mmCIF file of all heavy atoms in Angstrom:
data_model
loop_
_atom_site.group_PDB
_atom_site.id
_atom_site.type_symbol
_atom_site.label_atom_id
_atom_site.label_comp_id
_atom_site.label_asym_id
_atom_site.label_seq_id
_atom_site.Cartn_x
_atom_site.Cartn_y
_atom_site.Cartn_z
ATOM 1 N N ASN A 1 128.188 67.876 51.921
ATOM 2 C CA ASN A 1 127.950 66.423 52.041
ATOM 3 C C ASN A 1 127.436 66.125 53.428
ATOM 4 O O ASN A 1 128.152 66.107 54.382
ATOM 5 C CB ASN A 1 129.233 65.676 51.760
ATOM 6 C CG ASN A 1 128.965 64.139 51.676
ATOM 7 O OD1 ASN A 1 127.838 63.706 51.540
ATOM 8 N ND2 ASN A 1 130.054 63.387 51.673
ATOM 9 N N ILE A 2 126.112 65.914 53.519
ATOM 10 C CA ILE A 2 125.503 65.638 54.798
ATOM 11 C C ILE A 2 125.412 64.113 54.970
ATOM 12 O O ILE A 2 124.529 63.475 54.441
ATOM 13 C CB ILE A 2 124.041 66.275 54.905
ATOM 14 C CG1 ILE A 2 124.066 67.705 54.487
ATOM 15 C CG2 ILE A 2 123.465 66.080 56.267
ATOM 16 C CD1 ILE A 2 124.909 68.610 55.358
ATOM 17 N N ARG A 3 126.369 63.590 55.638
ATOM 18 C CA ARG A 3 126.509 62.117 55.704
ATOM 19 C C ARG A 3 125.631 61.496 56.796
ATOM 20 O O ARG A 3 125.390 62.114 57.764
ATOM 21 C CB ARG A 3 127.964 61.692 55.988
ATOM 22 C CG ARG A 3 128.883 62.031 54.840
ATOM 23 C CD ARG A 3 130.274 61.497 55.051
ATOM 24 N NE ARG A 3 131.183 61.791 53.973
ATOM 25 C CZ ARG A 3 131.295 61.032 52.865
ATOM 26 N NH1 ARG A 3 130.531 59.962 52.752
ATOM 27 N NH2 ARG A 3 132.121 61.352 51.909
ATOM 28 N N ASN A 4 125.151 60.269 56.520
ATOM 29 C CA ASN A 4 124.420 59.479 57.486
ATOM 30 C C ASN A 4 125.226 58.225 57.741
ATOM 31 O O ASN A 4 125.802 57.610 56.812
ATOM 32 C CB ASN A 4 123.030 59.083 57.014
ATOM 33 C CG ASN A 4 122.066 60.283 57.098
ATOM 34 O OD1 ASN A 4 121.673 60.697 58.191
ATOM 35 N ND2 ASN A 4 121.663 60.863 55.951
ATOM 36 N N ALA A 5 125.292 57.758 58.955
ATOM 37 C CA ALA A 5 126.026 56.526 59.272
ATOM 38 C C ALA A 5 125.449 55.336 58.549
ATOM 39 O O ALA A 5 126.166 54.467 58.133
ATOM 40 C CB ALA A 5 126.072 56.269 60.788
ATOM 41 N N ASN A 6 124.139 55.315 58.401
ATOM 42 C CA ASN A 6 123.426 54.194 57.745
ATOM 43 C C ASN A 6 122.989 54.661 56.347
ATOM 44 O O ASN A 6 122.071 55.455 56.213
ATOM 45 C CB ASN A 6 122.262 53.772 58.582
ATOM 46 C CG ASN A 6 121.591 52.504 58.016
ATOM 47 O OD1 ASN A 6 122.138 51.807 57.168
ATOM 48 N ND2 ASN A 6 120.403 52.228 58.503
ATOM 49 N N ASP A 7 123.602 54.147 55.284
ATOM 50 C CA ASP A 7 123.407 54.582 53.974
ATOM 51 C C ASP A 7 122.190 53.869 53.363
ATOM 52 O O ASP A 7 122.317 52.959 52.578
ATOM 53 C CB ASP A 7 124.594 54.325 53.069
ATOM 54 C CG ASP A 7 124.459 54.870 51.648
ATOM 55 O OD1 ASP A 7 123.647 55.769 51.452
ATOM 56 O OD2 ASP A 7 125.177 54.344 50.775
ATOM 57 N N THR A 8 120.998 54.272 53.738
ATOM 58 C CA THR A 8 119.759 53.671 53.226
ATOM 59 C C THR A 8 118.936 54.802 52.632
ATOM 60 O O THR A 8 119.150 55.997 52.864
ATOM 61 C CB THR A 8 118.956 52.970 54.304
ATOM 62 O OG1 THR A 8 118.528 53.933 55.309
ATOM 63 C CG2 THR A 8 119.794 51.883 54.952
ATOM 64 N N PHE A 9 117.898 54.433 51.875
ATOM 65 C CA PHE A 9 117.049 55.333 51.204
ATOM 66 C C PHE A 9 116.251 56.199 52.229
ATOM 67 O O PHE A 9 115.890 57.320 51.970
ATOM 68 C CB PHE A 9 116.124 54.698 50.207
ATOM 69 C CG PHE A 9 116.761 54.391 48.899
ATOM 70 C CD1 PHE A 9 117.460 53.248 48.673
ATOM 71 C CD2 PHE A 9 116.641 55.301 47.840
ATOM 72 C CE1 PHE A 9 118.105 52.970 47.486
ATOM 73 C CE2 PHE A 9 117.224 55.073 46.644
ATOM 74 C CZ PHE A 9 117.976 53.868 46.439
ATOM 75 N N VAL A 10 115.964 55.613 53.420
ATOM 76 C CA VAL A 10 115.196 56.338 54.383
ATOM 77 C C VAL A 10 115.970 57.584 54.903
ATOM 78 O O VAL A 10 115.430 58.620 55.181
ATOM 79 C CB VAL A 10 114.677 55.445 55.575
ATOM 80 C CG1 VAL A 10 115.865 55.056 56.491
ATOM 81 C CG2 VAL A 10 113.573 56.054 56.321
ATOM 82 N N ASN A 11 117.292 57.421 54.992
ATOM 83 C CA ASN A 11 118.100 58.547 55.414
ATOM 84 C C ASN A 11 118.173 59.641 54.313
ATOM 85 O O ASN A 11 118.174 60.798 54.569
ATOM 86 C CB ASN A 11 119.546 58.092 55.798
ATOM 87 C CG ASN A 11 119.524 57.371 57.176
ATOM 88 O OD1 ASN A 11 119.147 58.013 58.123
ATOM 89 N ND2 ASN A 11 119.939 56.145 57.184
ATOM 90 N N THR A 12 118.239 59.187 53.050
ATOM 91 C CA THR A 12 118.244 60.108 51.946
ATOM 92 C C THR A 12 116.883 60.837 51.880
ATOM 93 O O THR A 12 116.847 62.034 51.636
ATOM 94 C CB THR A 12 118.459 59.330 50.602
ATOM 95 O OG1 THR A 12 119.696 58.662 50.623
ATOM 96 C CG2 THR A 12 118.410 60.340 49.438
ATOM 97 N N ALA A 13 115.823 60.114 52.219
ATOM 98 C CA ALA A 13 114.516 60.739 52.247
ATOM 99 C C ALA A 13 114.433 61.820 53.280
ATOM 100 O O ALA A 13 113.864 62.886 53.103
ATOM 101 C CB ALA A 13 113.423 59.704 52.499
ATOM 102 N N ALA A 14 114.976 61.506 54.462
ATOM 103 C CA ALA A 14 115.042 62.532 55.532
ATOM 104 C C ALA A 14 115.826 63.752 55.120
ATOM 105 O O ALA A 14 115.384 64.928 55.430
ATOM 106 C CB ALA A 14 115.664 61.924 56.823
ATOM 107 N N LEU A 15 116.890 63.556 54.422
ATOM 108 C CA LEU A 15 117.676 64.684 53.945
ATOM 109 C C LEU A 15 116.878 65.529 52.935
ATOM 110 O O LEU A 15 116.880 66.728 52.967
ATOM 111 C CB LEU A 15 118.978 64.127 53.254
ATOM 112 C CG LEU A 15 119.905 65.205 52.572
ATOM 113 C CD1 LEU A 15 120.254 66.307 53.551
ATOM 114 C CD2 LEU A 15 121.128 64.510 52.050
ATOM 115 N N MET A 16 116.109 64.859 52.053
ATOM 116 C CA MET A 16 115.290 65.555 51.070
ATOM 117 C C MET A 16 114.271 66.432 51.733
ATOM 118 O O MET A 16 113.940 67.510 51.202
ATOM 119 C CB MET A 16 114.601 64.549 50.175
ATOM 120 C CG MET A 16 115.559 63.870 49.163
ATOM 121 S SD MET A 16 114.638 62.705 48.112
ATOM 122 C CE MET A 16 115.893 62.259 46.995
ATOM 123 N N HIS A 17 113.786 66.062 52.894
ATOM 124 C CA HIS A 17 112.787 66.911 53.608
ATOM 125 C C HIS A 17 113.438 68.174 54.190
ATOM 126 O O HIS A 17 112.744 69.103 54.675
ATOM 127 C CB HIS A 17 112.158 66.103 54.727
ATOM 128 C CG HIS A 17 110.970 65.257 54.286
ATOM 129 N ND1 HIS A 17 109.822 65.835 53.844
ATOM 130 C CD2 HIS A 17 110.831 63.915 54.180
ATOM 131 C CE1 HIS A 17 108.940 64.880 53.535
ATOM 132 N NE2 HIS A 17 109.522 63.731 53.710
ATOM 133 N N ASN A 18 114.784 68.243 54.132
ATOM 134 C CA ASN A 18 115.450 69.440 54.581
ATOM 135 C C ASN A 18 116.019 70.247 53.412
ATOM 136 O O ASN A 18 116.797 71.151 53.633
ATOM 137 C CB ASN A 18 116.543 69.061 55.547
ATOM 138 C CG ASN A 18 116.043 68.567 56.912
ATOM 139 O OD1 ASN A 18 115.559 69.377 57.714
ATOM 140 N ND2 ASN A 18 116.068 67.288 57.134
ATOM 141 N N LEU A 19 115.600 69.901 52.192
ATOM 142 C CA LEU A 19 116.004 70.636 50.997
ATOM 143 C C LEU A 19 114.841 71.376 50.372
ATOM 144 O O LEU A 19 113.719 70.972 50.533
ATOM 145 C CB LEU A 19 116.602 69.665 50.014
ATOM 146 C CG LEU A 19 117.871 68.845 50.441
ATOM 147 C CD1 LEU A 19 118.196 67.820 49.403
ATOM 148 C CD2 LEU A 19 119.040 69.787 50.701
ATOM 149 N N ASP A 20 115.118 72.479 49.715
ATOM 150 C CA ASP A 20 114.083 73.222 49.008
ATOM 151 C C ASP A 20 113.813 72.606 47.692
ATOM 152 O O ASP A 20 112.693 72.705 47.090
ATOM 153 C CB ASP A 20 114.548 74.689 48.780
ATOM 154 C CG ASP A 20 114.789 75.414 50.068
ATOM 155 O OD1 ASP A 20 113.795 75.676 50.779
ATOM 156 O OD2 ASP A 20 115.960 75.694 50.410
ATOM 157 N N LEU A 21 114.814 71.906 47.079
ATOM 158 C CA LEU A 21 114.698 71.406 45.729
ATOM 159 C C LEU A 21 115.688 70.290 45.507
ATOM 160 O O LEU A 21 116.780 70.323 46.040
ATOM 161 C CB LEU A 21 114.915 72.542 44.720
ATOM 162 C CG LEU A 21 114.960 72.169 43.210
ATOM 163 C CD1 LEU A 21 113.562 71.752 42.720
ATOM 164 C CD2 LEU A 21 115.418 73.385 42.388
ATOM 165 N N ILE A 22 115.318 69.271 44.701
ATOM 166 C CA ILE A 22 116.199 68.229 44.305
ATOM 167 C C ILE A 22 116.375 68.306 42.781
ATOM 168 O O ILE A 22 115.373 68.365 42.035
ATOM 169 C CB ILE A 22 115.691 66.830 44.704
ATOM 170 C CG1 ILE A 22 115.713 66.670 46.245
ATOM 171 C CG2 ILE A 22 116.521 65.738 44.067
ATOM 172 C CD1 ILE A 22 114.385 67.042 46.877
ATOM 173 N N ILE A 23 117.624 68.316 42.304
ATOM 174 C CA ILE A 23 117.932 68.318 40.875
ATOM 175 C C ILE A 23 118.717 67.031 40.606
ATOM 176 O O ILE A 23 119.697 66.808 41.219
ATOM 177 C CB ILE A 23 118.731 69.520 40.436
ATOM 178 C CG1 ILE A 23 117.938 70.828 40.695
ATOM 179 C CG2 ILE A 23 119.103 69.431 38.950
ATOM 180 C CD1 ILE A 23 118.695 72.081 40.371
ATOM 181 N N THR A 24 118.244 66.249 39.660
ATOM 182 C CA THR A 24 118.889 64.899 39.436
ATOM 183 C C THR A 24 118.715 64.478 37.992
ATOM 184 O O THR A 24 117.752 64.901 37.300
ATOM 185 C CB THR A 24 118.256 63.893 40.381
ATOM 186 O OG1 THR A 24 118.835 62.573 40.103
ATOM 187 C CG2 THR A 24 116.730 63.760 40.191
ATOM 188 N N VAL A 25 119.591 63.554 37.518
ATOM 189 C CA VAL A 25 119.369 62.869 36.272
ATOM 190 C C VAL A 25 118.350 61.736 36.624
ATOM 191 O O VAL A 25 117.847 61.613 37.766
ATOM 192 C CB VAL A 25 120.684 62.334 35.732
ATOM 193 C CG1 VAL A 25 121.556 63.484 35.255
ATOM 194 C CG2 VAL A 25 121.408 61.450 36.696
ATOM 195 N N ASP A 26 118.063 60.877 35.634
ATOM 196 C CA ASP A 26 117.015 59.877 35.733
ATOM 197 C C ASP A 26 117.569 58.647 36.555
ATOM 198 O O ASP A 26 118.078 57.670 36.042
ATOM 199 C CB ASP A 26 116.614 59.429 34.324
ATOM 200 C CG ASP A 26 115.479 58.369 34.379
ATOM 201 O OD1 ASP A 26 114.912 58.149 35.443
ATOM 202 O OD2 ASP A 26 115.160 57.820 33.311
ATOM 203 N N THR A 27 117.442 58.840 37.877
ATOM 204 C CA THR A 27 117.871 57.780 38.831
ATOM 205 C C THR A 27 116.821 57.623 39.858
ATOM 206 O O THR A 27 115.802 58.283 39.900
ATOM 207 C CB THR A 27 119.186 58.166 39.485
ATOM 208 O OG1 THR A 27 118.958 59.176 40.456
ATOM 209 C CG2 THR A 27 120.257 58.626 38.506
ATOM 210 N N ALA A 28 117.092 56.704 40.839
ATOM 211 C CA ALA A 28 116.137 56.450 41.902
ATOM 212 C C ALA A 28 115.957 57.665 42.794
ATOM 213 O O ALA A 28 114.924 57.819 43.460
ATOM 214 C CB ALA A 28 116.635 55.281 42.754
ATOM 215 N N VAL A 29 116.934 58.538 42.760
ATOM 216 C CA VAL A 29 116.839 59.832 43.553
ATOM 217 C C VAL A 29 115.608 60.628 43.095
ATOM 218 O O VAL A 29 114.824 61.164 43.934
ATOM 219 C CB VAL A 29 118.118 60.690 43.435
ATOM 220 C CG1 VAL A 29 117.874 62.034 43.959
ATOM 221 C CG2 VAL A 29 119.250 59.992 44.103
ATOM 222 N N GLY A 30 115.354 60.716 41.817
ATOM 223 C CA GLY A 30 114.181 61.392 41.267
ATOM 224 C C GLY A 30 112.894 60.763 41.701
ATOM 225 O O GLY A 30 111.935 61.389 42.112
ATOM 226 N N HIS A 31 112.831 59.408 41.648
ATOM 227 C CA HIS A 31 111.665 58.697 42.102
ATOM 228 C C HIS A 31 111.389 58.862 43.512
ATOM 229 O O HIS A 31 110.207 59.080 43.953
ATOM 230 C CB HIS A 31 111.787 57.188 41.738
ATOM 231 C CG HIS A 31 111.799 56.861 40.336
ATOM 232 N ND1 HIS A 31 110.592 56.805 39.548
ATOM 233 C CD2 HIS A 31 112.782 56.617 39.397
ATOM 234 C CE1 HIS A 31 110.910 56.529 38.281
ATOM 235 N NE2 HIS A 31 112.189 56.410 38.215
ATOM 236 N N LEU A 32 112.393 58.842 44.387
ATOM 237 C CA LEU A 32 112.245 58.989 45.795
ATOM 238 C C LEU A 32 111.711 60.372 46.157
ATOM 239 O O LEU A 32 110.760 60.487 46.887
ATOM 240 C CB LEU A 32 113.576 58.778 46.523
ATOM 241 C CG LEU A 32 113.583 58.895 48.000
ATOM 242 C CD1 LEU A 32 112.667 57.834 48.648
ATOM 243 C CD2 LEU A 32 115.030 58.753 48.575
ATOM 244 N N ALA A 33 112.270 61.412 45.508
ATOM 245 C CA ALA A 33 111.810 62.771 45.745
ATOM 246 C C ALA A 33 110.341 62.904 45.363
ATOM 247 O O ALA A 33 109.548 63.521 46.030
ATOM 248 C CB ALA A 33 112.681 63.773 45.000
ATOM 249 N N GLY A 34 109.989 62.347 44.188
ATOM 250 C CA GLY A 34 108.582 62.450 43.717
ATOM 251 C C GLY A 34 107.632 61.729 44.636
ATOM 252 O O GLY A 34 106.516 62.236 44.890
ATOM 253 N N ALA A 35 108.023 60.545 45.100
ATOM 254 C CA ALA A 35 107.128 59.743 45.972
ATOM 255 C C ALA A 35 106.946 60.416 47.301
ATOM 256 O O ALA A 35 105.939 60.223 47.979
ATOM 257 C CB ALA A 35 107.747 58.356 46.151
ATOM 258 N N LEU A 36 107.929 61.248 47.737
ATOM 259 C CA LEU A 36 107.863 61.983 48.980
ATOM 260 C C LEU A 36 107.075 63.300 48.789
ATOM 261 O O LEU A 36 106.839 64.002 49.808
ATOM 262 C CB LEU A 36 109.268 62.305 49.506
ATOM 263 C CG LEU A 36 110.073 61.119 50.010
ATOM 264 C CD1 LEU A 36 111.550 61.564 50.142
ATOM 265 C CD2 LEU A 36 109.563 60.571 51.323
ATOM 266 N N GLY A 37 106.793 63.630 47.559
ATOM 267 C CA GLY A 37 106.111 64.944 47.290
ATOM 268 C C GLY A 37 107.033 66.119 47.331
ATOM 269 O O GLY A 37 106.581 67.221 47.457
ATOM 270 N N ARG A 38 108.371 65.846 47.267
ATOM 271 C CA ARG A 38 109.312 66.938 47.292
ATOM 272 C C ARG A 38 109.461 67.577 45.894
ATOM 273 O O ARG A 38 109.419 66.867 44.910
ATOM 274 C CB ARG A 38 110.697 66.415 47.773
ATOM 275 C CG ARG A 38 110.691 65.751 49.137
ATOM 276 C CD ARG A 38 110.079 66.630 50.210
ATOM 277 N NE ARG A 38 110.881 67.857 50.411
ATOM 278 C CZ ARG A 38 110.398 69.049 50.734
ATOM 279 N NH1 ARG A 38 109.096 69.181 50.956
ATOM 280 N NH2 ARG A 38 111.165 70.028 50.916
ATOM 281 N N PRO A 39 109.762 68.852 45.860
ATOM 282 C CA PRO A 39 109.973 69.466 44.502
ATOM 283 C C PRO A 39 111.236 68.901 43.893
ATOM 284 O O PRO A 39 112.349 68.863 44.524
ATOM 285 C CB PRO A 39 110.249 70.942 44.880
ATOM 286 C CG PRO A 39 109.540 71.130 46.214
ATOM 287 C CD PRO A 39 109.707 69.844 46.949
ATOM 288 N N VAL A 40 111.144 68.389 42.664
ATOM 289 C CA VAL A 40 112.235 67.723 42.045
ATOM 290 C C VAL A 40 112.279 68.067 40.544
ATOM 291 O O VAL A 40 111.243 68.069 39.886
ATOM 292 C CB VAL A 40 112.204 66.208 42.223
ATOM 293 C CG1 VAL A 40 110.823 65.625 41.809
ATOM 294 C CG2 VAL A 40 113.333 65.473 41.516
ATOM 295 N N TRP A 41 113.493 68.345 40.042
ATOM 296 C CA TRP A 41 113.754 68.678 38.648
ATOM 297 C C TRP A 41 114.547 67.531 38.104
ATOM 298 O O TRP A 41 115.637 67.259 38.549
ATOM 299 C CB TRP A 41 114.444 69.975 38.442
ATOM 300 C CG TRP A 41 113.629 71.155 38.854
ATOM 301 C CD1 TRP A 41 112.315 71.202 39.267
ATOM 302 C CD2 TRP A 41 114.003 72.551 38.836
ATOM 303 N NE1 TRP A 41 111.886 72.473 39.530
ATOM 304 C CE2 TRP A 41 112.967 73.308 39.292
ATOM 305 C CE3 TRP A 41 115.255 73.196 38.522
ATOM 306 C CZ2 TRP A 41 113.003 74.699 39.381
ATOM 307 C CZ3 TRP A 41 115.316 74.576 38.602
ATOM 308 C CH2 TRP A 41 114.206 75.334 39.035
ATOM 309 N N LEU A 42 113.987 66.882 37.003
ATOM 310 C CA LEU A 42 114.659 65.708 36.436
ATOM 311 C C LEU A 42 115.263 66.101 35.065
ATOM 312 O O LEU A 42 114.552 66.579 34.196
ATOM 313 C CB LEU A 42 113.632 64.611 36.221
ATOM 314 C CG LEU A 42 114.159 63.199 35.972
ATOM 315 C CD1 LEU A 42 114.769 62.667 37.239
ATOM 316 C CD2 LEU A 42 112.976 62.255 35.584
ATOM 317 N N ILE A 43 116.581 65.893 34.938
ATOM 318 C CA ILE A 43 117.285 66.228 33.727
ATOM 319 C C ILE A 43 117.346 64.966 32.826
ATOM 320 O O ILE A 43 117.897 63.985 33.246
ATOM 321 C CB ILE A 43 118.666 66.756 33.993
ATOM 322 C CG1 ILE A 43 118.599 67.919 35.021
ATOM 323 C CG2 ILE A 43 119.342 67.263 32.665
ATOM 324 C CD1 ILE A 43 120.026 68.400 35.422
ATOM 325 N N LEU A 44 116.802 65.075 31.655
ATOM 326 C CA LEU A 44 116.569 63.867 30.814
ATOM 327 C C LEU A 44 117.370 63.919 29.482
ATOM 328 O O LEU A 44 117.631 64.959 28.945
ATOM 329 C CB LEU A 44 115.107 63.713 30.420
ATOM 330 C CG LEU A 44 114.147 63.446 31.580
ATOM 331 C CD1 LEU A 44 112.719 63.493 31.082
ATOM 332 C CD2 LEU A 44 114.427 62.105 32.250
ATOM 333 N N ALA A 45 117.792 62.734 29.023
ATOM 334 C CA ALA A 45 118.403 62.621 27.713
ATOM 335 C C ALA A 45 117.379 62.952 26.630
ATOM 336 O O ALA A 45 116.134 62.912 26.836
ATOM 337 C CB ALA A 45 118.906 61.181 27.520
ATOM 338 N N TYR A 46 117.882 63.162 25.448
ATOM 339 C CA TYR A 46 117.012 63.495 24.297
ATOM 340 C C TYR A 46 115.990 62.419 24.030
ATOM 341 O O TYR A 46 114.828 62.653 23.742
ATOM 342 C CB TYR A 46 117.893 63.728 23.075
ATOM 343 C CG TYR A 46 117.102 64.157 21.798
ATOM 344 C CD1 TYR A 46 116.606 65.466 21.745
ATOM 345 C CD2 TYR A 46 116.933 63.294 20.764
ATOM 346 C CE1 TYR A 46 115.857 65.815 20.564
ATOM 347 C CE2 TYR A 46 116.263 63.678 19.623
ATOM 348 C CZ TYR A 46 115.679 64.960 19.538
ATOM 349 O OH TYR A 46 114.981 65.297 18.451
ATOM 350 N N SER A 47 116.433 61.127 24.098
ATOM 351 C CA SER A 47 115.556 59.985 23.998
ATOM 352 C C SER A 47 115.513 59.253 25.329
ATOM 353 O O SER A 47 116.324 58.336 25.607
ATOM 354 C CB SER A 47 116.036 59.024 22.909
ATOM 355 O OG SER A 47 115.983 59.681 21.644
#
């Protein structure tokens, strides 16, 4: 758990730049990783 004192998306984005891969369900985390051009795997419901 790499915590940031300021819990904003820009801090999450900085963390993503230090990761090799992001794995997430269909949330804003997936959109953020994609918009940053980071490798991201999205796990989706059947529908």
